[in-house]
Structures are given as structure tokens and as C-alpha cells.
Amino acid sequence: PIYISFCGHAILGDDTFIVEDASMHQDFADNPLVAGDPNIRFYAGAPLHAPGGARVGTLSIIDRQPRRLSGQDQNVLRDLANCVEMELAATAIREREHLLQEITDATPGLVAYWDRNLVCKFANRSYMDWFGRRPEELIGTTLPELLGPELFKLNEPYVRGALSGAAQQFERTLRKTDGTTGYTWAHYVPDRRSGIVHGFFVLVTDITPLKIAENKV
């Protein structure tokens, strides 16, 4: 229960919470965790924070014998807590990336992101299928490598426009990997943060059925 928990005290602080000998401590001497099993004498706990700053737990050391932590030992405990917090942040990022991938994979259009160096950082399943690339073949490749020199030359004015901060819209005829001709309507949306364009989002609609229908009229 939190009302007898040592961690309940540690999680409220901003620094390492240390009890060198709980049996001699005015706040813990009669604590049931001290007076009985597991007979705690020493406790040191560092608070853990989620990426948003919420207090979510502690990294703790407990012993049945009284102890003293040197300044170096306290630094090691804090460093270990920092490592746990970094793993919590990495887990949150992986979960967000997974959710983003699931959402965009369910989108009928093609979605991708290219940074300022024209390196692909993200692509949904439709985008990869269109170009016949697996994730490991597409993520990290450059846009000129993906499109080839001729098609990239046609798209380059729109790429430069997006990187200058202006949204772009255009229609394009593309040769698919299976040899068939496809028609797309593309949007290049600048990724502007703090007044700086870091790359651009690619949102493409496959309008091949519509164009085929138009051509038959």
C-alpha cells in the first residue's frame, strides 16, 4: 500500500530519497515493512518520469542492513534512473511510430516523408507497394535514387518549391514496377517548424481508374 511504501516518498521528490537505517528513522521505525517482513533497513530510490514529465515510478535499492551511499553511488543510481527514463521515452516513440504506421497503412493514398537532404524517413504500405520497395529498401534512400534521373528532373521544381516553404500540387504519369502506367495527383506539404522547413510530406492519390475512365470517353 502506498501509505507504507518507501517509494511513495521517493516518487514525490526531485532527487534521490535515502533512508540509511529505517529502524532509527522517526518516519519509518514503526513501519510494518521495517518492524516485520521484509525487515527493511536501507532504502534509496530515484524518481522516474514519463516523457511528458509525469511521475510514474522509482528505481530503488533495498537492503536488510543499514548502509551509506557515497556521492559517487548516488550519481550511479541517478544515471541508472536516467537510463530507465530514456527507455521509457524510446518505448513511447516506438508506440507512436507503430500507431502512425498502422493509421497511414490503412489510408488508401500514398504517404511519405522526405527530409531536407531528400532522404526518405517514412513511407506507408501503399507508397512502398507502388514503387515495389520493402521498408529496408526505401527508408534511407534518396528521392533521386527512387525516381530515377528523368522523373526526378520533372519533379524537382515541386521539390524545391516545397523546401522553400510553398505547398505544391500536381498531376503525374508514372510507370509502375509491373510495367503498367499509373496516374497520380500529388501534394508536397512543407514540414515547417519554428520558421524552418525540415523536409516535406508527400500525399499522393492514385487516380489511375479515373484517368482510364476518362480516356475511354
Side-chain angles (χ1 to χ4, degrees), residues 110 130 170-176 180-186 204-215:
L110 284 64
W130 180 282
F170 59 95
E171 185 178 322
R172 179 68 68 228
T173 301
L174 299 173
R175 178 70 63 177
K176 296 183 179 181
T180 62
T181 299
Y183 302 90
T184 63
W185 181 255
V204 179
T205 302
D206 183 0
I207 59 172
T208 303
L210 176 62
K211 297 297 289 187
I212 292 177
E214 287 181 351
N215 293 336

Side-chain angles (χ1 to χ4, degrees), residues 55-90:
R55 300 168 186 269
V56 294
T58 61
L59 181 66
S60 306
I61 304 171
I62 298 175
D63 200 351
R64 291 189 172 91
Q65 300 296 326
R67 290 187 177 276
R68 298 180 66 90
L69 280 189
S70 67
Q72 181 178 1
D73 292 334
Q74 294 181 43
N75 289 336
V76 169
L77 179 59
R78 185 64 256 176
D79 288 344
L80 289 173
N82 289 338
C83 290
V84 175
E85 290 179 339
M86 290 173 62
E87 181 58 32
L88 290 174

Side-chain angles (χ1 to χ4, degrees), residues 11-160:
I11 198 172
L12 297 177
D14 295 320
D15 205 352
T16 305
F17 178 72
I18 300 174
V19 178
E20 295 180 348
D21 187 348
S23 67
M24 303 297 292
H25 197 286
Q26 62 178 2
D27 294 329
F28 293 101
D30 60 349
N31 187 296
L33 301 176
V34 177
D37 189 63
N39 300 301
I40 294 174
R41 293 297 178 267
F42 171 79
Y43 175 91
L48 300 174
H49 302 82
R55 300 168 186 269
V56 294
T58 61
L59 181 66
S60 306
I61 304 171
I62 298 175
D63 200 351
R64 291 189 172 91
Q65 300 296 326
R67 290 187 177 276
R68 298 180 66 90
L69 280 189
S70 67
Q72 181 178 1
D73 292 334
Q74 294 181 43
N75 289 336
V76 169
L77 179 59
R78 185 64 256 176
D79 288 344
L80 289 173
N82 289 338
C83 290
V84 175
E85 290 179 339
M86 290 173 62
E87 181 58 32
L88 290 174
T91 298
I93 291 173
R94 288 193 295 268
E95 290 176 349
R96 285 196 295 269
E97 289 178 344
H98 175 73
L99 179 61
L100 176 62
Q101 190 71 59
E102 289 293 319
I103 292 173
T104 56
D105 282 350
T107 302
L110 284 64
V111 182
Y113 179 82
W114 301 83
D115 67 13
R116 283 200 62 84
N117 297 317
L118 304 185
V119 175
C120 183
K121 297 298 185 179
F122 177 85
N124 73 342
R125 177 59 55 190
S126 295
Y127 198 95
M128 289 184 281
D129 290 345
W130 180 282
F131 289 100
R133 300 291 187 96
R134 297 191 299 271
E136 62 272 17
E137 295 174 328
L138 184 56
I139 305 303
T141 193
T142 66
L143 192 56
E145 291 172 340
L146 178 67
L147 299 181
E150 294 184 7
L151 183 56
F152 177 74
K153 186 176 181 180
L154 291 175
N155 283 26
E156 189 171 12
Y158 303 106
V159 171
R160 299 306 171 193

